[in-house]
């Protein structure tokens, strides 16, 4: 949602004339911003599942290589190292552990429930807050402590728990990618690490891209 921030009322207005105090909002370019809420279900996010499975597979591959190289260096009979990778060795067990690990990952993602992501884009950068419905199981599934002091009421009077927030300045963004088909904007800091992902509403995607691109002058200059 495209809004203008009134410093006098400390509230957002949909028009350059404040809807609360009736006064014109000065310095529109500095006080305009985008804010919206996106609902995300980790179990339904293919990127989260695929990323977790890749980490699990990489960990098992490194473990097998470590054991294989160790066996080659220590064992007097080098055939033992090759036997370890056959059907009678640790390779079948690695597949079993991968399957168990995948089940545990899916179970944890399922127990996390859904999360609400609140975005604010202003002249300085992008800001994100993540909220969930309060619950110990939802927190433990995310490997987070249950902190009751982070529980607050939303605009509809429902209890929500703040589980994290992220902030990035436009000048610190090293790279960004726009995926119009998935309606997603990825912000990178550094260039190889995805720091924040924006999920704007599809009808506002082009407007948001046009809003943030000039602010990342270090990227536009390149």
């Amino acid at each position: 949602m495209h809004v203008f921030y009134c410093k006098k009322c400390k509230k957002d207005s949909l028009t350059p004339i404040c809807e609360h105090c009736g006064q014109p909002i000065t310095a529109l370019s500095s006080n305009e911003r985008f804010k919206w809420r996106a609902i995300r279900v980790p179990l339904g996010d293919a990127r989260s599942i695929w990323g977790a499975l890749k980490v699990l597979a990489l960990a098992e591959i490194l473990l097998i290589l470590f054991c294989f190289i160790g066996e080659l260096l220590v064992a007097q009979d080098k055939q033992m190292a090759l036997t370890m990778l056959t059907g009678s060795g640790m390779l079948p067990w690695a597949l079993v552990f991968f399957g168990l690990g995948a089940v545990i990952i899916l179970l944890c993602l399922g127990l996390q429930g859904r999360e609400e992501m609140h975005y604010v884009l202003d002249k300085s950068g992008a800001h994100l807050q993540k909220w969930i419905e309060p619950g110990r199981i939802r927190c433990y599934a995310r490997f987070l402590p249950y902190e009751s002091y982070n529980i607050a009421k939303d605009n509809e009077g429902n209890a929500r728990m703040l589980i994290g927030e992220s902030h990035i300045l436009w000048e610190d963004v090293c790279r960004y990618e726009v995926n119009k088909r998935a309606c997603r904007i990825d912000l990178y800091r550094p260039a190889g690490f995805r720091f924040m992902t924006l999920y704007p509403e599809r009808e506002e995607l082009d407007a948001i891209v046009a809003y943030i691109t000039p602010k990342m002058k270090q990227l536009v200059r390149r």
Side-chain angles (χ1 to χ4, degrees):
M1 180 171 57
H2 184 217
V3 297
F4 300 90
Y5 181 71
C6 179
K7 295 183 178 179
K8 180 179 179 181
C9 299
K10 300 186 183 303
K11 296 180 179 179
D12 293 319
S13 173
L14 295 176
T15 64
I17 305 297
C18 181
E19 300 172 345
H20 307 282
C21 65
Q23 298 297 320
I25 300 176
T26 58
L28 293 181
S29 60
S30 299
N31 291 320
E32 67 171 339
R33 59 183 185 174
F34 282 87
K35 60 183 298 186
W36 72 93
R37 184 187 69 168
I39 305 297
R40 175 179 174 271
V41 180
L43 187 59
D45 188 351
R47 296 179 70 196
S48 298
I49 297 175
W50 179 239
L53 293 179
K54 286 196 296 185
V55 172
L56 177 61
L58 180 60
E60 289 209 354
I61 291 173
L62 292 177
L63 178 61
I64 292 174
L65 289 177
F66 178 79
C67 295
F68 178 72
I69 294 174
E71 190 70 23
L72 281 177
L73 296 176
V74 176
Q76 296 180 353
D77 184 3
K78 305 305 180 184
Q79 187 65 28
M80 294 295 298
L82 297 177
T83 304
M84 184 181 64
L85 298 179
T86 63
S88 60
M90 67 178 299
L91 188 56
W93 283 106
L95 296 177
V96 171
F97 285 126
F98 180 82
L100 292 176
V103 171
I104 294 174
I105 288 174
L106 294 177
L107 179 61
C108 288
L109 292 177
L111 292 176
Q112 288 180 9
R114 72 173 193 171
E115 60 187 31
E116 298 178 4
M117 299 180 291
H118 295 249
Y119 294 98
V120 175
L121 308 182
D122 57 22
K123 65 176 182 178
S124 61
H127 315 279
L128 166 64
Q129 287 186 337
K130 293 183 178 181
W131 298 78
I132 63 171
E133 295 182 11
R136 296 184 183 275
I137 294 179
R138 296 186 183 92
C139 290
Y140 297 156
R142 290 178 167 84
F143 302 99
L144 297 174
Y146 179 81
E147 299 172 334
S148 58
Y149 54 84
N150 281 329
I151 298 177
K153 298 284 187 179
D154 61 9
N155 295 333
E156 299 175 354
N158 300 317
R160 292 292 183 267
M161 173 181 288
L162 179 66
I163 61 172
E165 54 184 326
S166 303
H167 308 274
I168 185 171
L169 300 177
W170 299 127
E171 59 192 33
D172 292 336
V173 177
C174 298
R175 180 168 68 96
Y176 76 103
E177 294 180 350
V178 179
N179 189 326
K180 291 189 176 181
R181 185 173 182 178
C183 197
R184 186 181 72 239
I185 303 174
D186 294 321
L187 305 179
Y188 291 81
R189 188 189 72 182
F193 178 75
R194 186 174 62 247
F195 181 83
M196 184 185 297
T197 299
L198 310 178
Y199 295 96
E201 298 178 355
R202 188 170 297 276
E203 59 272 14
E204 291 190 335
L205 177 61
D206 293 335
I208 290 177
V209 172
Y211 175 78
I212 67 176
T213 298
K215 299 183 183 304
M216 293 183 283
K217 299 178 181 179
Q218 74 280 8
L219 301 180
V220 176
R221 186 167 54 250
R222 296 174 186 174

